[in-house]
């Protein structure tokens, strides 16, 4: 199963990704996690990522596509994968299609988790109190939402046109939402 999780900031992609990975035993790649890891490690990528992330902006497509390309070459990715936070722009989606095509593979499903902006913002501000992520503050959240509508939301049409998109209501408990996704995938 090759799956992409779509959704705005605070939609719960990361939370559902962990549950899906445990249930279906497929590797989970979160670009946000990869970038936060690079920041903590203090690599060149991490330094660059920090600037963009803290401004609520997206990193350049070529950097992100490069990271994903490396991951896709790993043997454990041969039995399916779950992407969370990638693709986030049309060029990234096109890049992914090309990389998969060249391996004779394709996506099986794109799940868009839908949550109203106010609820998403509340969740992120709550997370800010617990996790202390430098991009979970009101100003950066506003920008992340704006960037989502400008650059990521158009992916819903992109994937709808090829019959891959499934929208899932992201309001409810973690288990309720997981059940909605599972029913669809099964
Ligand atoms: P969220 O989904 O809560 O916005 P993520 O953890 O997925 O957060 O991503 C955090 C930040 O990392 C983004 O705001 C962006 O700066 C950067 N990022 C993550 N994935 C991508 C991507 N595919 N393309 C460009 N930038 C990305």
């Amino acid at each position: 199963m090759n799956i992409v999780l779509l959704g705005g900031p605070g939609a719960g992609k990361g939370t559902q990704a962990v549950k899906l990975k445990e249930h279906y035993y497929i590797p989970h790649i979160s670009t946000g996690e990869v970038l936060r890891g690079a920041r903590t490690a203090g690599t060149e990528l991490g330094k660059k990522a920090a600037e963009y992330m803290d401004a609520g902006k997206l990193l350049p497509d070529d950097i992100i596509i490069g990271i994903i390309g490396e991951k896709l070459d790993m043997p454990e990715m041969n039995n399916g994968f779950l992407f969370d936070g990638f693709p986030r722009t049309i060029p990234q989606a096109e890049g992914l299609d090309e990389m998969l095509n060249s391996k004779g593979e394709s996506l099986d499903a794109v799940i868009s988790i839908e949550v109203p902006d106010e609820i998403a913002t509340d969740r992120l501000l709550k997370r800010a109190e617990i996790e202390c992520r430098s991009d979970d503050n009101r100003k950066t959240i506003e920008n992340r939402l704006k960037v989502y509508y400008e650059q990521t939301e158009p992916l819903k049409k992109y994937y709808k046109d090829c019959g891959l998109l499934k929208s899932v209501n992201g309001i409810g408990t973690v288990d309720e939402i997981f059940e909605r996704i599972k029913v669809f995938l099964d």
Side-chain angles (χ1 to χ4, degrees):
M1 255 198 300
N2 297 335
I3 306 172
V4 163
L5 280 185
L6 274 186
K13 299 183 296 288
T15 306
Q16 294 301 327
V18 170
K19 292 193 69 92
L20 287 164
K21 159 181 151 176
E22 283 166 2
H23 187 79
Y24 293 106
Y25 303 104
I26 42 178
H28 159 217
I29 309 283
S30 153
T31 38
E33 258 171 43
V34 171
L35 297 173
R36 277 187 289 280
R39 269 182 93 155
T40 308
T43 63
E44 280 310 309
L45 168 67
K47 285 180 202 152
K48 190 154 191 164
E51 288 169 35
Y52 287 92
M53 294 172 96
D54 291 350
K57 291 187 189 158
L58 297 183
L59 272 86
D61 289 329
D62 55 336
I63 296 184
I64 298 289
I65 292 171
I67 294 174
I68 295 291
E70 274 175 32
K71 299 271 176 202
L72 278 175
D73 282 339
M74 300 189 318
E76 57 265 42
M77 301 290 277
N78 287 341
N79 298 319
F81 57 77
L82 170 64
F83 284 139
D84 138 29
F86 174 88
R88 249 177 159 99
T89 64
I90 298 278
Q92 289 181 18
E94 291 168 346
L96 177 61
D97 283 344
E98 265 171 44
M99 291 187 282
L100 291 176
N101 274 342
S102 72
K103 293 176 187 295
E105 284 196 52
S106 57
L107 285 179
D108 296 307
V110 176
I111 295 159
S112 173
I113 307 180
E114 307 287 341
V115 170
D117 292 352
E118 311 78 66
I119 295 186
T121 304
D122 281 351
R123 287 183 184 172
L124 293 171
L125 290 174
K126 237 180 231 128
R127 181 169 76 186
E129 290 168 18
I130 307 164
E131 277 182 32
C132 186
R133 251 177 65 169
S134 58
D135 57 346
D136 285 345
N137 57 76
R138 205 172 270 281
K139 185 144 197 320
T140 306
I141 292 169
E142 257 173 39
N143 211 39
R144 282 156 70 196
L145 280 168
K146 185 166 161 273
V147 166
Y148 169 75
Y149 286 111
E150 284 171 4
Q151 305 198 51
T152 309
E153 219 213 11
L155 288 180
K156 289 206 278 187
K157 180 169 188 316
Y158 181 92
Y159 286 123
K160 193 170 181 211
D161 288 347
C162 45
L164 289 174
L165 186 78
K166 169 73 183 167
S167 294
V168 167
N169 174 2
I171 308 176
T173 66
V174 169
D175 288 332
E176 279 163 359
I177 299 158
F178 178 61
E179 206 47 47
R180 290 173 199 149
I181 297 175
K182 203 156 63 78
V183 163
F184 166 69
L185 290 177
D186 288 344

